[in-house]
Amino acid sequence: MLDKDRLRRAQDRMRDQGIDAYLILTHDDYIYFFGEDRFQPRAIVPAMGLPIIVTFIGEEDEVKRSIGVEDARVFGTVGQQIKDVVGVMREMMGGKESMTVGVQMWFNTPAFLLTLFQRANPKVRVVDIAPVMDELRMIKDEGEIALIRRASQIAAAGIETAAQCLRPGTTENAVGAEIEYAMRKAGGNGVATPVFVNSGVRSGWLHGTTSHKEIEVGDLVVVDVVPRYKGYCANMTRTFVIGPPTAEQRAMFETYRRAQAAGIEALRPGVRNRDIDTAAQEVFAASGYGDLYVSGISHGIGLDFEELPRPTIHPADSRVELREKMAVTVGHSVLSVPGVGGVRIEDTFHLTDEGPERLTAYDLDFELDAD
């Protein structure tokens, strides 16, 4: 159902930014306003008045009932969809020479639709909607935190499954399949990013996936999961070693554990995102790993796997001041040692006036049986 309070606050910010309408093409903001998802979510939020839904002809009646929006433009083809949107834009322009339309410029925005929209609406100026939506979504209400907490429980189920399945001779891909299955059974609605099961030297990769590489005795294995629950994400990462760790592997793990703890200690409303990173960097530097750590240990999370602040993508976000009711992670960056591999330990937190509440919980098992 349409959240009219969120709509009002967004429209106030749109008018302040000189944005006439918001063309929604992504799942996250569709869920934010309407409380549900669609396979191809499309909506137009004007700076004044009620939203307009653009939906497949067979879904019109159901969409109107479930969302509570009367104005639904229906389509049977992508071409008709574009035509409907063009018609709405012309109505909104009302004879004006031009208008400004905000669009989310992020990972999941369908570029081909945006390109078609711009070609079909040459008098429309397209801008990034981030100045409107980032600040709104950064602060979570109780319902949102409850959904992130549930996603965190699902993440823990995935990590626990990984610990049970990681054995010599098993492939990364096979372990990843078991993790995804376990999270689905626990109530997850898929993943926001591919499950990472990176073993051996691949554990030092900045970004991960699964491959057909077999897990071997002595491997470091980084497992990263970002499940969704009703649109909301939680992020959790653990590092394991198959069999007894070497002295270097043990030192890397213990260093990262202390660095994450230092970041968590610094995590509170009123500090800047960079302060979390500084606390962690001091630990890495004191342990001789200062040149091997990638900055950006903390980021926001919610309807997307990375929300404001996103310092590894937008370095200026390191200046963002953390606030009460945010959801953030600590442990995002990898400690990567050439020829050895990498270590990461990441958890999701809710910022309260009493300090950070850890939402993801799983014991820091490091050494797994190689038998």
Side-chain angles (χ1 to χ4, degrees), residues 56-348:
F56 175 63
I57 191 168
E59 301 175 22
E60 179 180 5
D61 291 341
E62 190 269 331
V63 164
K64 288 181 177 179
R65 286 195 304 271
S66 64
I67 292 179
V69 173
E70 284 299 316
D71 196 348
R73 310 298 172 94
V74 299
F75 66 90
T77 66
V78 171
Q80 181 62 45
Q81 181 183 162
I82 294 295
K83 183 178 179 180
D84 289 337
V85 173
V86 169
V88 171
M89 292 300 159
R90 288 176 178 170
E91 291 173 18
M92 294 179 66
M93 288 179 70
K96 294 190 299 184
E97 284 297 317
S98 64
M99 67 181 297
T100 300
V101 174
V103 175
Q104 187 183 113
M105 304 293 188
W106 201 234
F107 287 100
N108 297 318
T109 304
F112 81 99
L113 272 184
L114 181 56
T115 299
L116 289 174
F117 171 77
Q118 290 176 300
R119 288 175 180 171
N121 296 274
K123 294 185 178 181
V124 168
R125 184 172 74 99
V126 174
V127 299
D128 191 352
I129 199 67
V132 171
M133 295 304 301
D134 279 1
E135 289 279 341
L136 292 179
R137 284 176 43 181
M138 186 170 71
I139 306 301
K140 309 298 192 290
D141 61 31
E142 290 183 3
E144 290 179 295
I145 293 299
L147 294 173
I148 297 171
R149 181 177 286 108
R150 183 70 185 91
S152 298
Q153 294 167 352
I154 293 166
I159 294 294
E160 184 176 3
T161 297
Q164 294 168 356
C165 295
L166 285 168
R167 295 293 181 270
T170 305
T171 67
E172 296 174 349
N173 192 57
V175 175
E178 294 294 337
I179 292 170
E180 291 196 42
Y181 179 57
M183 294 194 299
R184 283 279 191 178
K185 286 190 69 177
N189 306 118
V191 294
T193 63
V195 170
F196 292 13
V197 183
N198 283 16
S199 63
V201 294
R202 286 166 40 83
S203 62
W205 286 14
L206 184 62
H207 298 102
T209 179
T210 62
S211 74
H212 293 287
K213 176 190 175 299
E214 290 189 356
I215 308 296
E216 300 178 44
V217 175
D219 275 354
L220 284 170
V221 186
V222 172
V223 179
D224 179 274
V225 297
V226 193
R228 290 189 188 276
Y229 179 72
K230 296 185 178 181
Y232 284 81
C233 308
N235 198 175
M236 189 174 185
T237 308
R238 291 293 184 268
T239 301
F240 303 96
V241 64
I242 310 303
T246 65
E248 177 75 1
Q249 290 172 335
R250 174 68 70 184
M252 292 167 62
F253 179 81
E254 291 299 331
T255 297
Y256 205 107
R257 184 184 60 79
R258 293 195 306 273
Q260 189 205 33
I264 296 168
E265 179 67 24
L267 186 63
R268 60 185 181 276
V271 304
R272 296 190 183 277
N273 181 262
R274 65 189 176 203
D275 298 330
I276 314 305
D277 214 47
T278 298
Q281 285 177 328
E282 289 175 353
V283 174
F284 288 120
S287 300
Y289 294 112
D291 295 335
L292 300 173
Y293 162 71
V294 179
S295 297
I297 200 168
S298 178
H299 64 80
I301 192 167
L303 280 164
D304 209 345
F305 62 95
E306 285 192 51
E307 295 187 348
L308 187 71
R310 315 175 183 96
T312 58
I313 300 171
H314 298 303
D317 283 3
S318 64
R319 298 192 295 269
V320 170
E321 183 178 303
L322 304 186
R323 305 180 200 171
E324 187 181 346
K325 300 182 181 180
M326 286 179 64
V328 300
T329 76
V330 179
H332 179 61
S333 298
V334 66
L335 169 61
S336 182
V337 176
V340 178
V343 170
R344 277 182 58 201
I345 305 166
E346 184 170 18
D347 288 289
T348 300

